[in-house]
Amino acid sequence: MALERRRKNMADSSMQRLTEANVARLGLISIQERIPAEFNRWQVEFEVDGRVGQLTCFSPSEYGGVPHGLDGDIANALIDLFIEQGSPDDGVVTTTASHLLLRAGLHNNGHYHRVLTETLRRLKQATYTMSHAWRDHEQQRWTSGTFSYVLAYEVTSAERDTITEGAVLSVTLARQIAKSIRARYVKPLDYVFLTSLDRPLTRALYRLLDAKRYDPQDLTRSLVSYQVNLMEWAAECKIVDQRTDKIRRTLEGAHEELKERGYLQDVLIEGRGRKQTLTYLFGAPAQNLAQDPELVIALVAHRVARPVARKLLETYGDAHVQARLAKFKTLLASGYKARNPSALLVDVIRDDEGKYVDPAPSTRPSPDQSPVQPPSSLPDPEELEREREAAFQALSLAEQADQALPTLQLLLKNRLDTAQYAQVRSALTAGRADAGQVVRAVTRAVFEGRVDQAVEDVLLLL
């Protein structure tokens, strides 16, 4: 349930966000969840404007080989946070370990703290060399160069060799990535859909496919299909075993999940041996997703395929779907066990036989479920604000600090260093100040032009 709560928080923050287009299109990180450590180098060639472009990666074996698997989720979250923090000129993303994992859609526990530690090391050590491969959006040309995804990083952590829950991170992205984002060479990315996908491999393939459907020279143009040779696609996905049957098996699960979820209409495989081709038939383009009604977005957040959600709304109408969604939430809150929650939700909406009895009125939602709103009433803004404040105050002091710190970092930027932000978190966690009050006071001061006073007030916490 904790992961579902994280995914709901992600869905509530914004359905459609942005990511840097070069990183997405080039697939800098292998889609495979696990690789042998000796897989420490790859090279890809492709055609760009009638010329051959080339991209290579080398990463020492002692760091686990080339970036792969969950590295892609964390790297994508770093770019998302960088954009959210205003794309600062120094290329630095300042955040906490727990907030970064949350944004990546991962659990905040010891296992993923170790994953985060290894990922940052790999992204720092891996060297990418490109020839006529990187799009300079300002100059409208293709460029060459060498870079590491992460140029540098600092960690304030309770342990020496592993990032811990309370760690404050200061991560400097490659100059090329930061410059490209500031030049607005970015493409849409549906975070609700991304974080709802089950496997890291499916998420990685989705990010790569979603980049391929856009014209790299005109990101406003999207394709309805994408065709590629199987061997070339294996190279772009950075799949270790290049046997054709193995490539197809590696991709098969991701293909099925993306078709089941409605992102792909179909995957056509034609030809034999190394001459096989894949044709991906896409669903609705990402820029059209923002036009979906809020109820469709709510159903997608519960892992209902987008085409199915649209059809349900078209067939049954807003009031019916809203009421059945509320009933579904109340069923789960009452302890109803669902082997497949998204299938249950669809069945509850379609049910015309009264299969699902309303729970007793005294049943109250569990902490993992949202309060049920009457379908016909509009929520009062002041009541919503009181509910948000109550939910915030219900968090532990550490969780309040983790929510407050990214906002303070966004407002104060580099006026505090990494160690000072770590001290601020410790002060909030220890209860020496109310995290919500601190955020409100700093926000007010910044917007009133009293930034220096805000910094002084925060430093008093230390």
Side-chain angles (χ1 to χ4, degrees):
M1 296 304 291
L3 182 56
E4 289 304 316
R5 189 162 58 249
R6 288 188 179 88
R7 287 174 172 171
K8 181 180 183 301
N9 290 339
M10 179 74 73
D12 290 343
S13 64
S14 176
M15 181 195 72
Q16 183 175 297
R17 303 174 74 92
L18 299 170
T19 192
E20 199 281 324
N22 280 302
V23 169
R25 176 179 53 82
L26 293 173
L28 300 179
I29 296 171
S30 170
I31 71 168
Q32 292 198 244
E33 297 173 43
R34 296 175 181 83
I35 62 169
E38 57 268 23
F39 183 48
N40 61 3
R41 182 189 300 272
W42 52 254
Q43 177 175 311
V44 180
E45 291 187 349
F46 43 84
E47 184 176 318
V48 180
D49 284 351
R51 295 175 56 185
V52 176
Q54 186 180 87
L55 180 69
T56 63
C57 175
F58 170 75
S59 184
S61 298
E62 56 264 37
Y63 292 95
V66 298
H68 60 278
L70 292 174
D71 297 347
D73 291 314
I74 293 171
N76 190 71
L78 283 170
I79 285 182
D80 186 50
L81 288 171
F82 179 71
I83 294 173
E84 183 179 278
Q85 293 175 12
S87 309
D89 292 340
D90 58 7
V92 174
V93 180
T94 307
T95 186
T96 62
S98 55
H99 190 64
L100 180 56
L101 290 172
L102 170 67
R103 186 56 60 91
L106 304 175
H107 286 288
N108 182 29
N109 60 29
H111 169 72
Y112 287 105
H113 296 152
R114 290 188 292 274
V115 168
L116 178 55
T117 302
E118 295 170 1
T119 291
L120 288 177
R121 289 173 178 168
R122 246 188 317 271
L123 295 178
K124 170 68 175 66
Q125 294 299 324
T127 300
Y128 296 93
T129 303
M130 54 193 178
S131 174
H132 195 64
W134 190 269
R135 182 71 175 173
D136 185 326
H137 189 54
E138 288 183 320
Q139 301 296 323
Q140 295 293 298
R141 63 185 183 184
W142 299 95
T143 63
S144 303
T146 299
F147 66 94
S148 293
Y149 201 111
V150 167
L151 188 61
Y153 67 92
E154 297 177 8
V155 180
T156 301
S157 185
E159 296 182 14
R160 178 179 177 183
D161 297 324
T162 303
I163 294 172
T164 54
E165 180 177 358
V168 176
L169 309 177
S170 180
V171 182
T172 305
L173 295 177
R175 182 188 61 81
Q176 290 90 338
I177 296 176
K179 177 184 176 184
S180 186
I181 291 172
R182 286 194 293 271
R184 306 304 295 166
Y185 190 55
V186 292
K187 61 167 288 294
L189 187 64
D190 183 353
Y191 256 73
V192 172
F193 184 78
L194 173 65
T195 56
S196 72
L197 296 171
D198 289 331
R199 293 180 56 195
L201 190 147
T202 308
R203 297 193 294 271
L205 185 65
Y206 163 69
R207 286 192 295 265
L208 184 57
L209 272 174
D210 201 59
K212 294 296 185 181
R213 72 187 299 180
Y214 288 91
D215 183 338
Q217 299 183 69
D218 182 2
L219 294 175
T220 64
R221 294 176 53 194
S222 61
L223 308 174
V224 297
S225 65
Y226 175 68
Q227 187 175 77
V228 62
N229 172 267
L230 179 68
M231 301 305 298
E232 292 175 3
W233 192 230
E236 291 209 47
C237 293
K238 288 76 186 181
I239 294 174
V240 179
D241 194 328
Q242 298 275 307
R243 291 177 296 175
T244 56
D245 59 332
K246 183 64 175 178
I247 297 168
R248 289 176 58 168
R249 282 201 300 272
T250 299
L251 296 171
E252 185 177 11
H255 286 168
E256 289 305 311
E257 186 174 0
L258 291 175
K259 286 193 293 183
E260 176 187 327
R261 300 298 308 283
Y263 177 74
L264 293 175
Q265 293 183 30
D266 205 353
V267 181
L268 307 178
I269 303 177
E270 301 173 291
R272 301 183 62 183
R274 299 174 69 87
K275 293 185 178 181
Q276 292 178 74
T277 61
L278 299 176
T279 302
Y280 291 99
L281 303 178
F282 295 114
Q287 66 260 34
N288 292 340
L289 300 178
Q291 300 173 11
D292 278 332
E294 290 186 7
L295 270 177
V296 169
I297 298 170
L299 296 181
V300 171
H302 286 285
R303 304 193 72 250
V304 175
R306 194 176 298 275
V308 174
R310 290 170 175 158
K311 185 65 175 177
L312 288 170
L313 203 62
E314 176 186 338
T315 303
Y316 296 99
D318 289 19
H320 178 92
V321 173
Q322 179 71 61
R324 294 303 177 88
L325 177 59
K327 185 172 189 174
F328 164 77
K329 291 179 179 179
T330 306
L331 279 171
L332 293 187
S334 70
Y336 190 101
K337 301 300 182 184
R339 297 177 63 181
N340 186 333
S342 61
L344 172 64
L345 174 55
V346 172
D347 198 45
V348 169
I349 293 172
R350 290 173 173 168
D351 175 40
D352 59 2
E353 300 175 0
K355 290 192 294 183
Y356 302 98
V357 179
D358 290 327
S362 60
T363 300
R364 300 185 62 181
S366 73
D368 288 320
Q369 301 296 326
S370 303
V372 177
Q373 294 283 346
S376 59
S377 63
L378 293 175
D380 178 63
E382 293 185 2
E383 180 63 26
L384 287 176
E385 181 59 34
R386 286 193 292 270
E387 289 180 4
R388 282 193 290 267
E389 179 63 21
F392 182 79
Q393 293 300 328
L395 299 173
S396 68
L397 292 179
E399 290 173 325
Q400 290 182 18
D402 283 339
Q403 285 202 13
L405 199 61
T407 302
L408 295 176
Q409 292 162 341
L410 177 62
L411 293 168
L412 301 178
K413 300 188 184 300
N414 59 359
R415 287 176 177 264
L416 299 182
D417 59 29
T418 303
Q420 287 173 319
Y421 278 120
Q423 290 177 286
V424 170
R425 184 190 183 280
S426 297
L428 297 177
T429 301
R432 294 203 294 272
D434 182 279
Q437 291 180 4
V438 170
V439 169
R440 287 192 291 272
V442 171
T443 301
R444 185 167 56 252
V446 169
F447 279 93
E448 291 176 356
R450 298 183 289 107
V451 182
D452 291 339
Q453 181 62 50
V455 172
E456 291 181 15
D457 292 343
V458 170
L459 290 177
L460 288 176
L461 296 175
L462 310 185

